[in-house]
């Protein structure tokens, strides 16, 4: 008979720092009983070829995500603020790099 | 990894909760994004058929990685040297990892690991039929790396551009790891070909047994793949079964020549006008017979898989009991 699989092992999101000095980057998720096991499994699943020097695991339920339906409301207001970019400003050539 | 036709019907995806009807606006936004070759992410609205197709394809793909560990796993204890053994363990472990990336990607579509494993263990879900053939000798391990992983790579590279973000990202990771799989297999065969006549005969025999099955891995001819067009339209499938098969043949013929083996197809010859190799008839009756569960190893593979899962139950239970205990202890200490 089949036994239940992983019903009660929660999902974790895995973030890996590929190299000292760089940020941790989301690289995937996995099921584990607790944080220590999640770290252990993340090591085996996501860093078999020295892809990382540090791992974070976060319970997936702890992540609050923005709603895709709010995309316009959240991000569109930035679209017409071109003066936030350096290229908006004209500086005489003789000034050189600024 | 290993894919076959990703349009083999099975039951996965049927259990997904029905999602409320789309507004025409949502539908239009989805279509527009697909048309613009954009990516769909888990939180985005998507048609139910798109979701179901992906659940079926990604879970079949994951199952294939997991079951794919078995034929080669049989040779870990019998590898001819410590070096080959270490390589084979690393390769098989990679396949397990590929399965895990893919199960996670499928879970973002609203299915659960439990549902998928239940589908696999009950025989309802499909996996690549190539694993329902036996590995009779060490040369089979080399041939699996060279041809089976080689065919898988052909299939998977275009999936890195799949319209569904989590699947495409999992594929990028998988593809980075696959090239070692193919190279180690080919190299193991090169070593055997430099050996005795008996060793060369073993390689040729393994190629003879696996060649046609590898061609079938790309799935039925385009004319018989009704779902393919929809998959192409949705950006899930990027290259047709027949085109992938042709690419694989064209790439493999010169490799076979360097290796010094004959591909077992009398009709295999260069067609100057087409700029491709012509090839003979694939035995589709045999393919479907194996898909339907009647291949030489279907029962054995499934039984091994279910046994491994059940034998691991106490480990999963213990991990959970330990986690619960730790949590309770932490709560007590805080109180
Ligand atoms: Fe794989
Ligand atoms: Fe592989």
């Amino acid at each position: 008979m089949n036994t239940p699989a992983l019903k009660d092992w929660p999902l974790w999101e895995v973030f890996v720092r590929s190299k000292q000095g760089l940020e941790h980057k989301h690289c995937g998720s996995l099921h584990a009983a607790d944080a220590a096991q999640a770290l252990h499994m993340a090591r085996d699943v996501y860093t078999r070829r020295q892809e990382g020097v540090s791992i974070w695991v976060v319970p997936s339920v702890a992540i609050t995500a923005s709603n895709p339906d709010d995309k316009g409301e959240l991000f569109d207001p930035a679209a017409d603020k071109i003066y936030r970019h350096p290229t908006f400003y004209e500086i005489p050539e003789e000034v050189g790099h600024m | 990894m290993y894919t076959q036709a990703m349009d083999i019907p099975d039951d996965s995806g049927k259990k997904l909760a029905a999602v409320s009807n789309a507004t025409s606006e949502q539908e239009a936004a989805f279509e527009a994004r697909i048309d613009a070759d954009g990516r769909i992410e888990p939180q985005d609205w998507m048609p139910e058929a798109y979701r179901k197709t992906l659940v079926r394809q990604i879970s079949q793909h994951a199952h294939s990685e997991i079951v794919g560990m078995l034929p080669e796993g049989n040779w870990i204890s019998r590898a001819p040297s410590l070096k080959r053994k270490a390589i084979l363990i690393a390769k098989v472990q990679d396949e397990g990892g590929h399965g895990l990336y893919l199960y996670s990607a499928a879970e973002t579509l609203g299915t659960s690991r439990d549902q998928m494993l239940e589908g696999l263990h009950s025989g309802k879900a499909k996996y690549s039929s190539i694993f329902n053939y036996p590995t009779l000798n060490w040369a089979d391990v080399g041939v699996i790396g060279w041809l089976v992983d080689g065919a898988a790579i052909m299939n998977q590279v275009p999936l890195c551009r799949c319209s569904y973000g989590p699947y495409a990202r999992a594929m990028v990771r998988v593809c980075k790891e696959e090239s070692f799989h193919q190279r180690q297999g080919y190299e193991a065969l090169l070593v055997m070909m430099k050996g005795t006549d008996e060793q060369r005969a073993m390689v040729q025999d393994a190629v003879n047994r696996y060649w046609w099955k590898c061609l079938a891995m790309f799935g039925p001819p385009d004319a018989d793949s009704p779902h393919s067009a929809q998959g192409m339209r949705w950006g899930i499938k990027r290259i047709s079964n027949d085109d992938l098969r042709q690419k694989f043949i064209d790439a493999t013929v010169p490799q076979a020549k360097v290796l010094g083996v004959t591909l077992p197809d009398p009709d295999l010859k260069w067609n100057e006008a087409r700029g491709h190799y012509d090839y003979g008839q694939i035995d589709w009756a045999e393919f479907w017979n194996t898909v339907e569960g009647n291949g030489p190893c279907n029962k054995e593979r499934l039984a091994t898989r279910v046994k491994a899962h059940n034998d691991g139950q106490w480990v999963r239970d213990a991990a959970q009991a330990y986690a619960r205990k730790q949590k309770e202890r932490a709560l007590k200490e805080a109180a």
Side-chain angles (χ1 to χ4, degrees):
Chain A
M1 246 345 273
N2 295 327
T3 44
L6 300 157
K7 235 171 217 131
D8 303 303
W9 279 18
L11 193 65
W12 302 77
E13 299 303 320
V14 180
F15 300 80
V16 170
R17 181 202 293 281
S18 58
K19 164 172 147 201
Q20 211 58 34
L22 294 182
E23 71 276 46
H24 285 76
K25 229 175 118 185
H26 183 246
C27 71
S29 53
L30 50 77
H31 288 273
D34 59 21
Q37 194 199 15
L39 267 182
H40 221 106
M41 306 227 309
R43 197 273 313 257
D44 288 346
V45 176
Y46 292 106
T47 62
R48 287 192 302 280
R49 289 176 178 78
Q50 297 186 292
E51 289 94 338
V53 294
S54 160
I55 302 173
W56 288 349
V57 290
V58 180
S60 305
V61 292
I63 290 180
T64 307
S66 64
N67 185 335
D69 294 342
D70 298 340
K71 200 172 127 234
E73 203 177 302
L74 285 175
F75 307 113
D76 286 356
D80 59 0
K81 298 181 177 55
I82 46 173
Y83 46 83
R84 285 179 172 162
H85 298 275
T87 44
F88 180 73
Y89 304 93
E90 257 174 60
I91 305 289
E93 204 140 312
E94 65 217 74
V95 175
H97 177 75
M98 178 183 271
Chain B
M1 125 73 200
Y2 309 106
T3 56
Q4 63 189 6
M6 288 310 194
D7 46 11
I8 304 296
D10 72 20
D11 278 350
S12 50
K14 279 195 188 149
K15 282 192 199 153
L16 297 179
V19 170
S20 60
N21 279 338
T23 63
S24 56
E25 214 175 292
Q26 284 173 313
E27 204 145 10
F30 172 86
E31 294 293 332
R33 192 172 301 175
I34 292 286
D35 286 340
D37 204 15
R39 294 292 177 268
I40 308 297
E41 293 295 339
Q43 307 294 328
D44 296 330
W45 183 89
M46 62 189 86
E48 267 315 283
Y50 176 84
R51 183 190 300 273
K52 283 181 180 165
T53 300
L54 278 168
V55 166
R56 191 181 58 212
Q57 173 163 336
I58 301 172
S59 58
Q60 283 186 12
H61 194 160
H63 298 329
S64 302
E65 303 284 354
I66 298 298
V67 177
M69 292 193 280
L70 300 177
E72 288 176 291
N74 283 340
W75 283 90
I76 289 175
S77 61
R78 288 173 282 171
S81 67
L82 185 57
K83 172 184 151 185
R84 293 291 163 194
K85 184 173 181 157
I87 291 169
L88 188 55
I89 290 173
K91 195 229 181 223
V92 170
Q93 191 191 16
D94 273 357
E95 306 300 4
H98 298 173
L100 294 180
Y101 307 154
L102 288 159
Y103 282 132
S104 298
E107 281 173 83
T108 63
L109 291 157
T111 183
S112 71
R113 190 75 57 105
D114 262 332
Q115 277 174 23
M116 288 186 279
L117 291 187
E118 207 277 319
L120 174 64
H121 295 166
S122 66
K124 270 182 286 179
K126 302 294 179 201
Y127 55 85
S128 182
S129 275
I130 194 80
F131 303 118
N132 289 318
Y133 297 97
T135 40
L136 302 180
N137 66 49
W138 175 253
D140 289 24
V141 174
V143 165
I144 286 179
W146 174 37
L147 296 180
V148 175
D149 286 78
I153 292 169
M154 279 292 172
N155 250 328
Q156 292 180 131
V157 168
L159 288 173
C160 295
R161 292 183 292 118
C162 170
S163 61
Y164 188 59
Y167 191 26
R169 291 191 287 275
M171 279 300 105
V172 169
R173 196 174 293 279
V174 166
C175 285
K176 271 189 203 151
E177 299 179 353
E178 285 294 347
S179 119
F180 136 65
H181 297 180
Q182 189 180 23
R183 289 172 68 106
Q184 64 81 32
Y186 190 73
E187 193 218 49
L189 297 176
L190 280 171
V191 170
M192 289 185 80
M193 292 303 284
K194 286 186 200 120
T196 63
D197 284 347
E198 222 179 341
Q199 285 175 301
R200 279 186 283 277
M202 276 167 74
V203 175
Q204 184 62 58
D205 168 62
V207 169
N208 291 349
R209 281 181 289 109
Y210 271 96
W211 174 249
W212 289 103
K213 297 173 171 84
C214 289
L215 297 191
M217 278 174 73
F218 295 96
D222 296 344
D224 304 330
S225 306
H227 301 306
S228 267
Q230 183 58 267
M232 295 273 233
R233 164 75 192 89
W234 277 333
I236 295 174
K237 198 170 172 56
R238 297 289 186 176
I239 305 179
S240 81
N241 294 353
D242 284 333
D243 287 351
L244 283 171
R245 189 164 15 244
Q246 185 71 62
K247 268 176 82 128
F248 173 71
I249 293 168
D250 293 347
T252 308
V253 171
Q255 296 166 1
K257 206 168 162 199
V258 173
L259 189 59
V261 295
T262 311
L263 298 172
D265 178 359
D267 297 324
L268 188 68
K269 54 178 168 300
W270 180 252
N271 182 325
E272 193 65 57
R274 286 203 313 128
H276 292 292
Y277 284 92
D278 288 338
Y279 56 97
Q281 270 298 316
I282 295 167
D283 185 351
W284 291 110
E286 202 231 320
F287 172 78
W288 286 113
N289 191 44
T290 306
V291 168
E292 273 144 32
N294 308 313
C297 299
N298 294 58
K299 291 197 179 67
E300 183 192 327
R301 298 287 185 243
L302 209 55
T304 307
R305 174 61 210 147
V306 170
K307 183 178 184 304
H309 182 71
N310 289 345
D311 287 354
Q313 184 63 43
W314 72 271
V315 179
R316 294 190 293 278
D317 290 344
Q320 217 172 322
Y322 177 77
R324 208 179 305 122
K325 222 175 186 177
Q326 292 294 103
K327 208 184 262 170
E328 278 163 16
R329 188 172 298 166
L331 282 174
K332 221 176 275 167
E333 271 165 25

